[in-house]
């Protein structure tokens, strides 16, 4: 029996690489639903190519255009459409590759139905980690990380018993501005920030990598995925991106996960879990890699990593506020309305204007998210 898969955010960087994994699965993975934000034309092409008859578009106008153009299948619209794609599609696994806090609803819908979730959308866990975990526990659904560092950790931790792991280590490439001084960062452009040295990714995560916010979000993500306290999660800069993560054990051993940077590896791991499958990446040739180097992250010049860690430790609505302010600031930077160094400043000021509160429900997260977006936008316009 093929595994029936829904891919959310199918037109993005992760979504398109996931289609490649599905195509190579020889029928083991069957695509039963796909979604996108707005790009209905690309989504329709994908549906036709993969014989999918249920699609969803978050943008109602885009959904209306798609319904006019396509009569061979069902077009669902808006956030309710996204939820219906997941809950009424009789699927075994959902890949959430939506970007931003907009992905939280789909995470909740999937886990709430007891459906296993391959999670690329790290923002879901950053914003709603505790509630998301409670939901997964209540329904018994599994969360399989797609983020490369967390996929590596999932694999490294699989063989370890309770109490043997002292530390998790996430590697960071350092992004395109590694080694820059604060002065050099003052006038960097969006184009420079989008040029990631080792990974090819969507716009928002590329900027997050340049500010080191991506690694900050990943520290929070690791905390929720693996239940490890923040003081036992470290970050090391490793510019070659060959080692994806390490774990340090109580007997002095350190285990590492290595491979060339290619997101199809962690995507295939999550979609086929617990089986392994062939992925067309070259076998690692350590001699040709030559040297693996490491350095500490520069949290003075790149304050986002510190801000994220602090928000994670503060808990409650703080990570949700951090994430929302970051999304607004990154958007403004990409549109040329905010300088690169302004991103961290906007996040820090938003956090100081909105004290963290206890999270009682998903509604309280939505309210904190909206408040943070309003405050961050005001700071940018001022
Ligand atoms: P992307 O911008 O390339 O694609 C995002 C997808 O989400 C698109 O299909 C888009 O149509 C859809 N989308 C956008 N806004 C939406 C909304 N409001 N509602 C519903 N759908 C919406 O992003 P990406 O680089 O593929 O990243 C997706 C997620 O995976 C992010 O959370 C990112 O942090 C994470 N991730 C990405 C990579 C990578 O290599 N790209 C690596 C690790 C983790
Ligand atoms: Mg990552």
């Amino acid at each position: 029996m093929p595994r029936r898969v829904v891919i959310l955010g199918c037109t993005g960087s992760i979504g398109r690489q996931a289609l490649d994994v599905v195509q190579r699965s020889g029928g083991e993975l069957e695509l039963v639903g796909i979604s996108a934000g707005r790009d209905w034309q690309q989504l329709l092409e994908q549906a036709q190519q993969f014989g999918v008859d249920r699609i969803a578009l978050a943008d109602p106008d885009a959904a209306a255009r798609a319904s006019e153009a396509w009569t061979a299948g069902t077009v669902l619209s808006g956030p309710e459409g996204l939820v219906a794609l997941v809950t009424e599609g009789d699927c075994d696994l959902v890949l959430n590759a939506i970007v931003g806090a907009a992905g939280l609803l789909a995470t909740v819908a999937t886990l709430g139905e007891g459906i296993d979730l391959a999670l690329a959308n790290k923002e879901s866990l950053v914003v709603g980690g505790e509630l998301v975990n409670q939901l997964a526990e209540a329904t018994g659904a599994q969360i399989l990380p797609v983020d490369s560092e967390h996929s590596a950790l999932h694999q490294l931790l699989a063989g370890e018993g309770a109490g043997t792991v002292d530390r998790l280590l996430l590697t960071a490439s350092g992004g395109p501005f590694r080694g820059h001084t604060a002065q050099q960062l003052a006038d960097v452009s969006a184009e420079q920030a989008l040029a990631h040295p080792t990974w090819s990714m969507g716009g928002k995560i590329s900027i997050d990598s340049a500010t080191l916010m991506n690694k900050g979000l990943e520290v929070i993500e690791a905390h929720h995925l693996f239940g490890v306290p923040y003081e036992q999660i470290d970050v090391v800069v490793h510019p070659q991106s060959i080692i994806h993560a390490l774990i340090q054990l109580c007997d002095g051993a350190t285990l590492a996960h290595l491979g060339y940077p290619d997101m199809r590896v962690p995507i295939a791991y999550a979609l086929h879990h617990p089986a392994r499958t062939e992925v067309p990446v070259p076998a690692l040739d350590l001699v040709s890699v030559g040297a693996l180097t490491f350095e500490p992250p520069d949290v003075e010049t790149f304050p986002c990593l510190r801000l994220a860690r602090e928000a994670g430790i503060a808990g409650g609505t703080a990570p949700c506020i951090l994430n929302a302010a970051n999304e607004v600031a990154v958007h403004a930077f990409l549109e040329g309305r905010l300088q690169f160094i302004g991103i961290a400043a906007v996040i820090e000021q938003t956090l100081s204007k909105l004290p963290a509160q206890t999270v009682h429900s998903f509604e309280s997260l939505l309210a904190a998210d909206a408040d943070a977006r309003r405050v961050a936008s005001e700071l940018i316009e001022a």
Side-chain angles (χ1 to χ4, degrees):
M1 280 288 277
R3 184 173 283 178
R4 292 167 60 88
V5 179
V6 166
I7 301 180
L8 307 176
C10 202
T11 56
S13 163
I14 292 288
R16 283 178 279 120
Q17 294 180 84
L19 286 181
D20 187 64
V21 170
V22 169
Q23 194 156 39
R24 289 171 192 280
S25 76
E28 275 181 38
L29 303 174
E30 184 193 349
L31 204 57
V32 297
I34 54 177
S35 87
R38 196 172 282 143
D39 187 352
W40 62 274
Q41 278 156 319
Q42 193 189 157
L43 194 68
L44 279 189
E45 277 169 30
Q46 292 177 338
Q48 278 152 3
Q49 191 191 342
F50 283 82
V52 174
D53 60 8
R54 283 163 60 82
I55 67 170
L57 284 143
D59 182 79
D61 294 336
R65 305 276 298 273
S67 313
E68 272 170 35
W70 195 51
T71 46
T74 308
V75 181
L76 301 158
S77 166
E80 322 77 56
L82 210 65
V83 171
L85 186 74
V86 167
T87 59
E88 295 162 16
D90 187 23
C91 65
D92 305 309
L93 180 73
V94 172
L95 168 62
N96 185 350
I98 295 171
V99 62
L104 178 63
L105 180 69
T107 287
V108 171
T110 303
L111 297 174
E113 275 309 288
I115 301 168
D116 289 343
L117 175 67
L119 187 63
N121 179 258
K122 63 191 86 184
E123 294 91 343
S124 294
L125 279 176
V126 170
V127 171
E130 268 101 24
L131 294 184
V132 166
N133 275 335
Q134 283 168 18
L135 197 57
E137 220 159 279
T139 63
Q142 279 193 80
I143 304 177
L144 294 155
V146 170
D147 216 346
S148 57
E149 299 77 2
H150 305 73
S151 174
L153 288 170
H154 193 266
Q155 296 170 54
L156 291 167
L157 292 167
E160 296 309 321
T164 58
V165 179
D166 286 348
R167 263 187 135 57
L168 309 183
L169 266 159
L170 303 171
T171 56
S173 70
F177 304 135
R178 182 176 63 88
H180 277 46
T181 61
Q183 222 168 11
Q184 287 173 311
L185 286 181
D187 54 3
V188 295
S189 66
E191 200 185 11
Q192 288 170 297
L194 285 169
H196 195 275
T198 49
W199 293 96
S200 157
M201 309 178 286
K204 192 251 176 189
I205 181 172
S206 295
I207 303 304
D208 286 348
S209 298
T211 60
L212 292 197
M213 178 55 91
N214 183 50
K215 214 47 57 177
L217 300 179
E218 290 185 357
V219 168
I220 302 174
E221 182 186 12
H223 166 77
H224 291 300
L225 280 172
F226 306 114
V228 173
Y230 284 102
E231 62 274 16
Q232 286 168 247
I233 307 174
D234 281 341
V235 171
V236 63
V237 174
H238 165 46
Q240 296 81 21
S241 301
I242 295 293
I243 299 183
H244 306 306
L246 310 96
I247 60 171
Q248 292 183 333
L249 305 176
C250 59
D251 62 358
T254 296
L255 310 184
H257 181 288
L258 289 79
Y260 292 115
D262 187 322
M263 285 307 294
R264 290 175 305 176
V265 176
I267 293 169
Y269 175 79
L271 296 189
H272 285 278
H273 185 80
R276 293 259 186 190
T277 184
E278 275 182 43
V279 179
V281 289
L284 180 61
D285 179 351
L286 283 174
V287 173
S288 76
V289 172
L292 301 177
T293 62
F294 307 92
E295 56 194 75
D298 178 357
V299 286
E300 295 288 315
T301 314
F302 299 92
C304 285
L305 177 55
R306 170 180 61 80
L307 292 171
R309 187 182 274 280
E310 287 170 3
I313 292 168
T317 52
C320 170
I321 294 165
L322 168 104
N323 177 73
N326 181 55
E327 287 188 27
V328 170
V330 167
H331 188 64
F333 170 68
L334 285 172
E335 289 190 338
R337 291 183 285 113
L338 182 68
Q339 284 191 311
F340 183 78
I341 48 174
I343 297 174
V346 165
I347 298 165
E348 184 149 32
Q349 288 172 43
T350 305
L351 281 162
S352 71
K353 280 178 189 281
L354 296 171
Q357 286 175 354
T358 312
V359 176
H360 301 290
S361 61
F362 286 108
E363 285 68 35
S364 53
L365 290 173
L366 294 182
D369 178 275
D371 284 347
R373 280 173 204 272
R374 179 182 42 78
V375 169
S377 302
E378 284 166 9
L379 287 165
I380 292 164
E381 277 156 31

